[in-house]
């Protein structure tokens, strides 16, 4: 048992002397620095009751400040066009430090030449944080999943 303790101490001294560190130690902040904020995995899923072309807005980045967001929200809310359906989900995984504030996915029917489709698509969205579904919404022409009241 004593040999193990000496070996562990010798290994630690060798690592320190040579500048080697374990990956866990290498990621630690320097003493006195605040630890980085925790990161959360946010998974957005969008489907529709029938195949439809959709426009999807989402947040995959935390704005540095609310004023940065409010001055140009579209910088922090990119959008994609996708065909979704019951067997064709759109899924995006993002990492946010404050998903309660910034997590959001919005889906609506993609307009063609400015006209909104007459038939309802039956959109559905789900937002999960670290694997736990925290919000679901459905609507005939759109759906919004967000924990913040926008």
């Amino acid at each position: 048992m004593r040999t193990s303790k000496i070996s562990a101490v010798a290994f630690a001294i060798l690592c320190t002397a040579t500048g080697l560190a374990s990956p866990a130690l290498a990621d630690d902040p320097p003493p006195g620095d605040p630890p980085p904020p925790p990161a959360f995995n946010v998974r957005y899923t969008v489907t529709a009751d029938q195949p439809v072309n959709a426009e999807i807005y989402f947040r995959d980045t935390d704005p540095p400040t609310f004023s940065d967001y409010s001055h140009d929200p579209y910088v922090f809310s990119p959008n994609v066009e996708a065909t979704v359906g019951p067997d064709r989900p759109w899924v995006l995984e993002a990492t946010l430090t404050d998903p309660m504030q910034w997590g959001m996915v919005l889906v609506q029917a993609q307009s063609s030449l400015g006209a909104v489709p007459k038939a309802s698509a039956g959109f559905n969205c789900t937002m999960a944080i670290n694997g736990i579904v925290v919000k679901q919404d459905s609507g005939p022409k759109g759906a919004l999943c967000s924990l913040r009241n926008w």
Side-chain angles (χ1 to χ4, degrees):
M1 187 81 130
R2 182 177 168 102
T3 305
S4 297
K5 287 182 182 177
I6 292 172
S7 297
V9 170
F11 180 72
I13 291 170
L14 176 66
C15 287
T16 302
T18 60
L20 297 175
S22 69
L25 294 176
D27 291 336
D28 288 345
D33 282 0
F40 296 91
N41 174 270
V42 179
R43 181 182 176 107
Y44 304 120
T45 306
V46 171
T47 62
D49 296 340
Q50 62 184 356
V52 64
N53 292 330
E55 190 161 11
I56 303 167
Y57 291 86
F58 57 92
R59 275 208 206 86
D60 61 353
T61 304
D62 293 89
T65 65
F66 187 80
S67 63
D68 289 331
Y69 168 77
S70 66
H71 281 68
D72 196 355
Y74 292 103
V75 168
F76 301 102
S77 305
N79 74 317
V80 296
E81 294 174 356
T83 301
V84 296
D87 297 322
R88 192 168 179 179
W90 175 86
V91 178
L92 178 83
E93 294 206 21
T95 301
L96 298 174
T97 56
D98 191 358
M100 298 290 288
Q101 173 81 2
W102 298 114
M104 184 275 302
V105 64
L106 169 95
V107 59
Q108 61 189 14
Q110 180 185 2
S111 60
S112 61
L113 302 176
V116 176
K118 293 180 183 176
S120 69
F123 286 108
N124 310 289
C125 67
T126 302
M127 185 172 108
I129 299 174
N130 291 346
I132 299 169
V133 174
V134 295
K135 186 69 177 189
Q136 293 180 313
D137 190 31
S138 296
K141 295 186 180 180
L144 169 65
C145 284
S146 172
L147 297 176
R148 181 169 178 226
N149 293 325
W150 292 93

